[in-house]
Amino acid sequence: MNILGIQVLRGPNIWSINRKKLIQMRLDLEEMEQRPTNVIEGFGERIAQLIPSLYTHRCSKGEPGGFLARIAEGTWMGHVIEHIALEIQTLAGMDTGFGRTRQTKTEGIYNVVFSYIEEKAGVYAAEASVRIAEALINNQEYDLEADIQRMRELREIERFGPSTGSIVDEAISRDIPWIRLNKSSLVQLGYGKNQVRFRATMTERTNSIAVDIACNKDETKRILKDSAIPVAKGVTISAIEDLPDAIKKVGYPLVFKPLDGNHGKGASINVQTEEAAYAAFEYAKSYSRKIIIEKFITGYDFRVLVIDHKMVAAALRVPAHVKGNSQSTIQELIDKENEDPRRGYGHENVLTEIGIDRDTLDLLEKKGYTLETVPANGEIVYLKSTANLSTGGTSIDVTDLVHPQNVFICERISRVIGLDICGIDIMAENLTQPLPENGGVVLEVNAAPGFRMHLAPSEGLPRNVAAPVIDMLYPPGKSARIPIIAVTGTNGKTTTTRLIAHIVKSNGTRVGFTTSDGIYVQNTMLMKGDTTGPVSAEFILRDPTVEFAVLETARGGVLRAGLGFNHCDIGVVTNIQEDHLGISDIHTLDDLTKVKAVIVGAVKRSGWAVLNADNKYCLKIAAKADCNVAYFSMDENNPAVAEHSKKGGIAAVYENGYITIKKGDWKIRVEKVSHIPLTFGGSVEFMIQNVLAATLATFLWGYKIEDIRMSLETFIPSAAQTPGRMNTFRFKEFKIMVDFAHNANGFNGIKTYLKSIEATEHVGVICATGDRRREDIKETARISAQMFDKIMICQEKYLRGSNQQDLIDILIEGITEVKPDMEIIINNNGDDCLKYLIATAKWGSFITILSGTIDSAVEKVSEYLDKELGV
């Protein structure tokens, strides 16, 4: 078997609108296409033995053991690999279960699709599942545990920590979109101007001065002490020569910790001898230049969490420890403790496995123990000097036991230090009594405190501490989203997108939009190129200046990675016509319709699908739409529009020379098409369709008719506002038009327009696109022969894996089928081609450059015109 490609789908896609995180593996079964599982001797027994948990897979049988029954009956290896990929992810701590395997139109080649939790682990699962299947087919030994461990490692590298993950999960539960801004824990919630950012448990509201204070333990203690908050007695030193005086001043027992430390690193507790003090100093010194020496306070280690100056949780933290039984060594007790199913690798479970480090050995040495010591029955042996969960500690929820005065103290601390989210470490006998009464003290105040101990305590009630964070970032009335209009279709996407953006911009809203020629915010191009995929959409949604997004969305990006957004307010489908067929398993217009329908599937239920009622494939999308539907049509008597209007529906139609909105039986005329520059005086039908789509979309959003009308009148087809879309340059003796028509329907639209253009000679410049079907290329050539008197072929680019001469031959074949005597010039150098056209142009001729044949044609023609005008 051969993996032909692996794609990671990160947004709504052709397989599922709701399941956004999918791996799509294109797999060639090769000879296994002829060998279903029931003809592979012993295959069923071997897979059940290697991965016994596959018994839980119900498959189409709908009951446990269903998948294994399918193997016994006979199923294809793509289906088997799908289930293996899902199960090994589950075994690696990433429980997921959506899968689809479908044969393509090429025999033996399948798309194996399955969900993932962490991207790199999902890709690894795809590759590993094929290796596992091959080993089972060939009856070879396979180290499954190695794959599972590797996926665990990839998961820990890639996944959010418990704190970040809990905030993201809470946002998802409230339908707040999110974007990961780096490979670590920097996250954006919301879109555009309504975004907020956080990193772990620090938010954009977190005061940087407060963080500096919290990170300086000495400064924190001083400020708390000055505010009459009980703190441990102590000093800070940086030189070992100062240690004797510090010991004398504070008095045994002592605690040593680095000034800039965290997670308990470099700390030593209950230091009671001079020798131990010098060792503790050197240990802390390896983490910080300055060392805090405090009085060791007996009691229990508590963590209180305060968010937005309100206490939300409290936990008793217990350092990693084992309990003796008079039989097992400490090492054996540790190993047994790590077998607890609640303990896992990294953050995969409630508790973390206990590791052995210097801190462990030092604590044992102080007791005169080693790892081979056998503790007495019931004896507690502590293995860490701090109670951090990341080092194997446990936590017990005590939120409901905290005395009101201690709640007040903690909430006051958050304001004294100035942190919006803070973790307060307290050493006390209990929190049920006020700290001044039981001698408890505040040890530290932590910026970016971990949430894990509160989210999943080893004992007591879990606390959803992420909820108050979201409440703080998005209080009632604050939206996390900005309006999104997504535009797709075969032809007219870019012009429709630009016109919608123009209407939005003209009404005083800062708009960001993506097109096939670049990314724009307001009037500024920020990135040049074909920017119609999910990465470009996310670029706009990340921009904090954008108030409204209009996103051209092409089929390529949807197939490659899914949508770059999870919901939109309005989805526009301009039309569905023959183009890009034969690429990426899209062979028919029904296949293409499924791709375009993804945009409509992403429209929120209260939103609108704006669909072309003159296109039967758009009507198919309407029949399955789970949102409001509105139609546009060149014919007000279109049956779909008429039926829609009877039901009180909304439509935009071209009637009696006007762009008109229909609401039930009412008509609202927007503007006469001859007054709309984009329609070229009403002579270009496909431009009228674009105007209808844009007018309807913006009307549905809520813009007033008079505001839409003004915008339509001020949108001028030009190199500035519609680059590459019927841009006409008027030289003294001839005209040149540049248009990006690149398929038969686009060519036919240009042909209709050229019939209205009087010229002494119509000259066309065309090329082929290498990844299109032969018949599609030939059809554009036939249409070219019908509209031009002379044709120049400039096949400088767009080869896309094809042979240049083969593409030229197909074009010539199509042209000569219509006009055997047509004059054809071949010049595959774009610059030379343009020079020749201008040098040989006849008086009164009209030159049309199509399909982007000449690179940067708009800019280059503009330069020639400027020279002629002496600019």
Side-chain angles (χ1 to χ4, degrees):
M1 293 181 289
N2 183 27
I3 298 175
L4 302 178
I6 295 176
Q7 294 170 251
V8 180
L9 307 179
R10 304 177 183 90
N13 53 75
I14 61 172
W15 301 100
S16 174
I17 296 297
N18 298 318
R19 295 178 177 87
K20 303 172 182 67
K21 297 170 67 173
L22 298 177
I23 298 293
Q24 178 178 313
M25 176 168 58
R26 190 172 175 84
L27 182 66
D28 186 351
L29 294 189
E30 297 178 334
E31 71 275 6
M32 295 309 301
E33 173 66 4
Q34 309 305 322
R35 297 181 65 195
T37 52
N38 61 335
V39 302
I40 304 171
E41 186 177 351
F43 183 86
E45 291 79 4
R46 291 194 292 274
I47 193 170
Q49 183 177 6
L50 182 67
I51 316 176
S53 53
L54 282 172
Y55 178 78
T56 62
H57 289 217
R58 296 170 174 265
C59 206
S60 56
K61 300 282 185 181
E63 58 186 24
F67 171 62
L68 295 179
R70 287 288 307 277
I71 287 178
E73 295 168 1
T75 188
W76 270 258
M77 203 52 61
H79 181 212
V80 174
I81 287 168
E82 168 204 324
H83 280 267
I84 293 174
L86 288 169
E87 187 57 25
I88 61 177
Q89 287 185 88
T90 298
L91 292 173
M94 295 167 284
D95 192 8
T96 185
F98 175 84
R100 294 285 185 273
T101 298
R102 297 290 183 267
Q103 186 174 13
T104 69
K105 288 190 168 64
T106 304
E107 185 178 357
I109 296 180
Y110 290 74
N111 282 317
V112 179
V113 179
F114 58 88
S115 53
Y116 68 89
I117 302 297
E118 301 299 338
E119 186 174 303
K120 290 181 180 177
V123 172
Y124 186 93
E127 297 167 340
S129 62
V130 176
R131 294 195 299 267
I132 293 167
E134 289 176 332
L136 291 168
I137 292 166
N138 298 320
N139 194 14
Q140 297 171 339
E141 292 291 324
Y142 193 87
D143 188 355
L144 181 63
E145 187 55 41
D147 279 338
I148 292 172
Q149 179 58 27
R150 179 56 184 156
M151 282 190 288
R152 284 175 177 152
E153 293 168 359
L154 290 171
R155 178 201 65 200
E156 289 304 300
I157 292 170
E158 192 174 14
R159 80 188 302 189
F160 287 130
S163 302
T164 307
S166 69
I167 297 172
V168 170
D169 289 343
E170 180 66 21
I172 292 171
S173 73
R174 303 188 190 195
D175 197 30
I176 295 173
W178 63 278
I179 299 172
R180 191 171 190 168
L181 298 177
N182 64 5
K183 294 181 180 180
S184 185
S185 57
L186 182 61
V187 177
Q188 172 184 316
L189 298 180
Y191 289 151
K193 71 166 187 176
N194 290 327
Q195 66 178 268
V196 296
R197 296 176 185 174
F198 73 94
R199 187 198 299 271
T201 59
M202 290 176 61
T203 77
E204 61 181 34
R205 290 183 43 167
T206 303
N207 187 303
S208 61
I209 295 177
V211 173
D212 285 344
I213 293 171
C215 289
N216 187 320
K217 295 177 175 60
D218 197 35
E219 184 78 0
T220 301
K221 184 188 291 187
R222 184 188 62 77
I223 290 175
L224 294 180
K225 185 178 180 181
D226 290 348
S227 299
I229 292 167
V231 295
K233 180 181 178 183
V235 296
T236 300
I237 65 173
S238 56
I240 199 166
E241 294 80 8
D242 298 327
L243 183 56
D245 287 342
I247 295 173
K248 184 177 180 180
K249 185 173 183 179
V250 179
Y252 293 113
L254 299 169
V255 173
F256 285 71
K257 54 188 177 183
L259 180 68
D260 305 320
N262 56 41
H263 301 295
K265 294 177 182 177
S268 300
I269 65 170
N270 198 15
V271 175
Q272 303 200 38
T273 67
E274 185 175 339
E275 181 182 359
Y278 277 91
F281 178 88
E282 293 298 337
Y283 181 43
K285 191 76 172 177
S286 64
Y287 287 90
S288 176
R289 189 173 64 86
K290 292 185 177 182
I291 312 303
I292 295 175
I293 303 174
E294 292 178 340
K295 188 74 173 180
F296 175 66
I297 307 295
T298 58
Y300 297 99
D301 185 349
F302 294 95
R303 163 64 65 82
V304 178
L305 181 63
V306 179
I307 298 175
D308 200 19
H309 308 305
K310 298 179 181 64
M311 193 204 87
V312 297
L316 167 63
R317 301 190 297 176
V318 182
H321 64 278
V322 291
K323 193 173 187 179
N325 59 12
S326 298
Q327 297 177 359
S328 304
T329 67
I330 292 174
Q331 180 66 69
E332 290 169 341
L333 291 169
I334 292 172
D335 293 340
K336 185 175 181 180
E337 179 65 27
N338 283 338
E339 291 175 3
D340 185 336
R342 295 178 302 168
R343 292 193 183 273
Y345 181 82
H347 293 145
E348 70 179 351
N349 288 339
V350 174
L351 302 175
T352 299
E353 293 177 349
I354 300 172
I356 298 168
D357 56 13
R358 178 203 156 146
D359 188 26
T360 306
L361 300 176
D362 284 351
L363 286 173
L364 294 178
E365 185 180 351
K366 287 176 182 178
K367 291 177 67 70
Y369 288 180
T370 70
L371 291 171
E372 301 306 314
T373 299
V374 177
N377 188 42
E379 181 184 357
I380 300 296
V381 180
Y382 288 101
L383 304 168
K384 304 291 177 183
S385 57
T386 60
N388 296 82
L389 267 65
S390 59
T391 59
T394 58
S395 65
I396 301 169
D397 179 73
V398 295
T399 305
D400 297 330
L401 303 178
V402 182
H403 191 280
Q405 187 172 340
N406 291 336
V407 172
F408 169 75
I409 289 172
C410 291
E411 291 179 350
R412 182 165 173 260
I413 288 171
S414 74
R415 292 185 182 276
V416 167
I417 301 300
L419 287 171
D420 59 336
I421 301 176
C422 70
I424 301 167
D425 292 342
I426 295 173
M427 183 66 71
E429 286 299 320
N430 58 65
L431 292 183
T432 58
Q433 295 175 288
L435 296 185
E437 291 183 13
N438 65 14
V441 296
V442 175
L443 299 177
E444 292 182 15
V445 178
N446 299 276
F451 285 180
R452 186 181 176 197
M453 70 186 75
H454 308 295
L455 295 166
S458 44
E459 294 181 37
L461 289 175
R463 305 288 174 170
N464 181 9
V465 294
V469 176
I470 299 297
D471 291 340
M472 175 179 68
L473 297 177
Y474 286 104
K478 181 178 179 180
S479 174
R481 296 181 177 273
I482 60 173
I484 299 175
I485 297 180
V487 182
T488 193
T490 302
N491 293 316
K493 299 186 296 295
T494 300
T495 301
T496 302
T497 297
R498 284 181 166 277
L499 180 53
I500 292 172
H502 176 75
I503 295 170
V504 172
K505 181 170 49 180
S506 298
N507 282 276
T509 303
R510 185 178 295 276
V511 63
F513 58 102
T514 62
T515 70
S516 58
D517 54 79
I519 298 175
Y520 298 79
V521 174
Q522 286 296 86
N523 301 315
T524 303
M525 176 188 278
L526 300 178
M527 191 175 294
K528 188 174 183 179
D530 187 348
T531 58
T532 56
V535 173
S536 303
E538 193 173 277
F539 181 100
I540 287 295
L541 299 175
R542 288 201 317 264
D543 192 312
T545 68
V546 171
E547 299 172 331
F548 200 121
V550 185
L551 307 173
E552 181 180 347
T553 308
R555 48 158 286 287
V558 176
L559 290 170
R560 185 172 59 252
L563 296 181
F565 49 89
N566 55 1
H567 297 303
C568 58
D569 299 275
I570 298 175
V572 180
V573 184
T574 58
N575 47 66
I576 298 174
Q577 298 165 330
E578 290 194 354
D579 195 18
H580 296 97
L581 299 183
I583 305 171
S584 301
D585 297 323
I586 306 301
H587 298 281
T588 67
L589 284 175
D590 282 324
D591 294 337
L592 188 58
T593 299
K594 185 177 180 182
V595 180
K596 303 297 184 182
V598 172
I599 283 80
V600 173
V603 176
K604 60 186 184 182
R605 287 193 174 186
S606 60
W608 291 86
V610 174
L611 303 171
N612 187 342
D614 300 330
N615 185 280
K616 68 177 183 179
Y617 296 97
C618 286
L619 294 178
K620 289 183 178 181
I621 294 176
K624 297 181 179 180
D626 190 23
C627 61
N628 300 305
V629 173
Y631 290 119
F632 64 92
S633 173
M634 293 293 290
D635 177 12
E636 69 168 319
N637 298 314
N638 177 294
V641 171
E643 182 66 24
H644 187 64
S645 297
K646 281 182 185 178
K647 298 176 181 178
I650 301 176
V653 296
Y654 176 48
E655 55 90 27
N656 294 321
Y658 282 88
I659 299 294
T660 299
I661 297 291
K662 290 188 69 176
K663 293 182 68 175
D665 294 330
W666 290 86
K667 287 184 180 179
I668 309 170
R669 283 184 168 172
V670 180
E671 181 59 289
K672 199 168 186 177
V673 294
S674 59
H675 296 169
I676 301 174
L678 187 60
T679 70
F680 293 83
S683 65
V684 184
E685 183 175 296
F686 63 82
M687 286 298 190
I688 297 174
Q689 292 177 331
N690 296 336
V691 171
L692 286 168
T695 299
L696 182 55
T698 50
F699 174 79
L700 292 170
W701 178 249
Y703 289 116
K704 297 178 181 178
I705 292 295
E706 54 268 31
D707 293 331
I708 296 173
R709 179 187 302 119
M710 182 178 297
S711 300
L712 295 178
E713 292 172 352
T714 56
F715 189 72
I716 311 299
S718 62
Q721 289 195 306
T722 56
R725 273 71 186 175
M726 298 185 69
N727 302 150
T728 302
F729 301 86
R730 292 169 174 79
F731 289 76
K732 291 178 182 178
E733 297 184 351
F734 56 89
K735 296 177 183 177
I736 296 178
M737 185 176 77
V738 179
D739 190 89
F740 196 64
H742 56 283
N743 54 44
N745 286 286
F747 274 48
N748 276 322
I750 296 298
K751 183 179 77 171
T752 301
Y753 172 66
L754 291 182
K755 288 178 181 178
S756 67
I757 301 296
E758 292 186 9
T760 56
E761 182 180 50
H762 277 288
V763 179
V765 186
I766 66 170
C767 74
T769 303
D771 58 0
R772 301 302 198 272
R773 299 179 303 181
R774 179 185 182 89
E775 183 56 33
D776 295 337
I777 295 172
K778 190 186 287 188
E779 181 60 17
T780 60
R782 294 190 192 106
I783 299 168
S784 298
Q786 295 168 21
M787 60 175 156
F788 298 128
D789 302 308
K790 182 168 66 177
I791 291 177
M792 176 174 282
I793 297 174
C794 182
Q795 195 65 56
E796 185 176 30
K797 52 182 182 175
Y798 298 129
L799 301 181
R800 298 182 182 177
S802 297
N803 178 273
Q804 184 184 57
Q805 189 58 50
D806 288 345
L807 295 176
I808 294 170
D809 290 343
I810 297 171
L811 290 171
I812 292 173
E813 185 180 339
I815 293 167
T816 54
E817 281 183 12
V818 177
K819 289 184 181 178
D821 299 327
M822 166 74 78
E823 181 183 353
I824 302 173
I825 302 168
I826 300 172
N827 186 334
N828 294 323
N829 182 293
D831 291 340
D832 289 346
C833 179
L834 188 55
K835 288 179 185 177
Y836 176 83
L837 286 168
I838 291 175
T840 61
K842 294 181 180 179
W843 182 90
S845 63
F846 195 96
I847 301 167
T848 303
I849 302 173
L850 295 175
S851 304
T853 47
I854 299 174
D855 196 31
S856 303
V858 171
E859 292 87 344
K860 291 175 181 177
V861 174
S862 296
E863 290 174 6
Y864 276 103
L865 183 59
D866 288 344
K867 289 178 182 178
E868 181 176 281
L869 297 175
V871 177

